[in-house]
Amino acid sequence: MSQSAYIRLVQGSALAEIDLNGVKEQLTHYRQQVTLTGKQLGWEYEEAAFPYSVETKPDAGDGWFYLKGNNPMYKYIVFGTDKKEEDGTVIPYIHVVLPDGATHGDKAKANELCKWIGRKLQAEVKMFNGRTIYYNPRK
C-alpha cells in the first residue's frame, strides 16, 4: 500500500505558492548542497545522498514527477503539487508518495527530503507516520 506525506505552505511560510518547477528547484538546491559537502569531505557524497534521477512521464503533464533510483536499494518517490481549501483559505501543498514496492531506503530518503524542503520553505510537514512537524513560525 502506498504512503503519503504532505508539505503544506501555511501562513508564515517562505513561499505563498509552489508548482512542480519549484519542487524541482528545491531538489536541485539539495543536490548542490550535498555536492559541496562531498567536496569538503573529499568523496562523492552526492552519489550516496541523492541516488535518484528526476523523471517525468508524458501522461503526467503538470501534475507530478518522480525520482527513479539509480541502484537496487532505491526505486521510486513521487512528487506532486496541488491546493486545498480550508476555512476559506487556499493552502498549496507538495504531495510526496511512496508507491507500492518502495524500499526502506526510499522511505528514509523521502523523510529526509520532506524535512529538508519543509525547513527551507518554513512549511508544515505531515510525515508518512502521521506526525506533523511545524517549521513555520507560529504565535
Side-chain angles (χ1 to χ4, degrees):
M1 187 167 83
S2 63
Q3 295 179 319
S4 295
Y6 300 91
I7 304 169
R8 299 169 19 127
L9 300 178
V10 294
Q11 184 178 4
S13 293
L15 296 177
E17 290 194 20
I18 194 159
D19 59 1
L20 285 182
N21 289 330
V23 177
K24 288 178 183 178
E25 288 173 13
Q26 292 296 320
L27 294 174
T28 301
H29 184 64
Y30 177 81
R31 289 180 76 171
Q32 291 169 348
Q33 292 293 312
V34 297
T35 299
L36 291 173
T37 301
K39 286 180 182 176
Q40 290 176 339
L41 296 174
W43 65 291
E44 298 296 323
Y45 181 62
E46 180 185 358
E47 299 291 326
F50 197 82
Y52 296 98
S53 62
V54 178
E55 305 283 333
T56 305
K57 291 216 176 204
D59 61 341
D62 291 337
W64 57 275
F65 69 92
Y66 68 99
L67 301 179
K68 182 179 179 184
N70 295 335
N71 67 47
M73 291 178 55
Y74 303 96
K75 292 193 178 187
Y76 303 105
I77 302 173
V78 180
F79 286 85
T81 57
D82 204 356
K83 296 178 184 176
K84 183 178 183 180
E85 186 171 335
E86 287 183 7
D87 301 326
T89 305
V90 176
I91 299 174
Y93 64 91
I94 303 168
H95 187 185
V96 183
V97 179
L98 292 172
D100 293 339
T103 65
H104 290 291
D106 290 325
K107 186 170 185 177
K109 189 54 65 179
N111 277 326
E112 181 180 338
L113 291 172
C114 286
K115 289 177 183 179
W116 191 87
I117 292 171
R119 191 176 313 115
K120 285 291 180 191
L121 298 180
Q122 296 180 339
E124 180 181 297
V125 181
K126 185 171 183 181
M127 302 301 290
F128 296 101
N129 62 5
R131 293 184 178 146
T132 303
I133 302 173
Y134 299 97
Y135 291 108
N136 59 314
R138 299 186 307 160
K139 292 182 180 181

